[in-house]
Amino acid sequence: MPKSDDKAPSLLDEIAAAAKIYGDRSFDNYAQIRSVAEAIRDGLCAHLAGEKKCVYLVPPQGPFTAQNYRSAAYSVSGKGFLPLEPISFGLAINISGDGDYMRLVLTCRKEGDKMFIHIDEGRETDLSLPLEETELNQFFDGINTHLLNWFESRVDQYDNGNYGNNDIGFDIQRVDE
């Protein structure tokens, strides 16, 4: 027989316990996605330009400059209670060797030991966790191809008289460095 001072957990205690587990998982999700995002930023820059700084983590929407925004680069920034959901971030990629940057938005979701990455309105790919250099290099080649195809298709559309569509396209802006 329980002692009179032993109380069963209240309904609020049960919710708080579930919310703690949720919070732990959402922090793990954020930490893993942030780690992958930073690896992509650093690796893509090295892949494209060697030692030259050419890729920054920026917010997935709104104005940006050529700098790393740290935690503000993620779609969950400023939401208070960290949601357990896929997270987006922007990569500002130098496209001219000068001050012109194109924002590429990536959305990541973790499933088991895989990180699924959706690139803008393009393809989705998955990377093994922990990250493997061979897979990352293939991913970087895919981003390079994605960007080249975007520019080449716009030039082709212009050259062939079919460039007046209403797609949103990439966010390109000149940034004073």
Side-chain angles (χ1 to χ4, degrees), residues 35-174:
S35 176
V36 167
E38 290 170 354
I40 289 171
R41 174 201 58 206
D42 297 342
L44 180 60
C45 194
H47 191 80
L48 296 174
E51 298 293 318
K52 186 178 180 187
K53 190 98 171 142
C54 64
V55 179
Y56 297 92
L57 285 171
V58 300
Q61 50 188 309
F64 69 92
T65 59
Q67 66 177 13
N68 287 311
Y69 282 74
R70 294 185 207 112
S71 61
Y74 302 91
S75 60
V76 295
S77 177
K79 289 196 174 183
F81 198 85
L82 192 60
L84 183 53
E85 62 186 24
I87 297 174
S88 298
F89 58 90
L91 292 176
I93 302 170
N94 188 300
I95 56 168
S96 65
D98 199 11
D100 300 305
Y101 284 81
M102 173 183 281
R103 177 173 27 211
L104 188 64
V105 176
L106 281 64
T107 301
C108 297
R109 77 177 190 286
K110 181 185 172 295
E111 291 184 15
D113 62 349
K114 296 274 188 191
M115 185 67 67
F116 290 85
I117 304 171
H118 183 86
I119 302 172
D120 270 328
E121 295 184 19
R123 64 186 181 94
E124 182 174 81
T125 190
D126 63 276
L127 299 174
S128 298
L129 295 173
L131 295 173
E132 298 173 4
E133 187 175 342
T134 304
E135 279 187 326
L136 270 175
N137 285 328
Q138 291 172 345
F139 179 71
F140 299 149
D141 286 340
I143 288 178
N144 184 64
T145 300
H146 184 76
L147 294 173
L148 283 173
N149 287 343
W150 188 86
F151 283 108
E152 290 170 351
S153 71
R154 290 337 184 254
V155 169
D156 182 59
Q157 290 169 5
Y158 175 78
D159 288 349
N160 293 301
N162 186 20
Y163 69 101
N165 62 24
N166 292 324
D167 68 347
I168 294 172
F170 286 96
D171 187 1
I172 300 174
Q173 73 187 72
R174 178 163 290 267

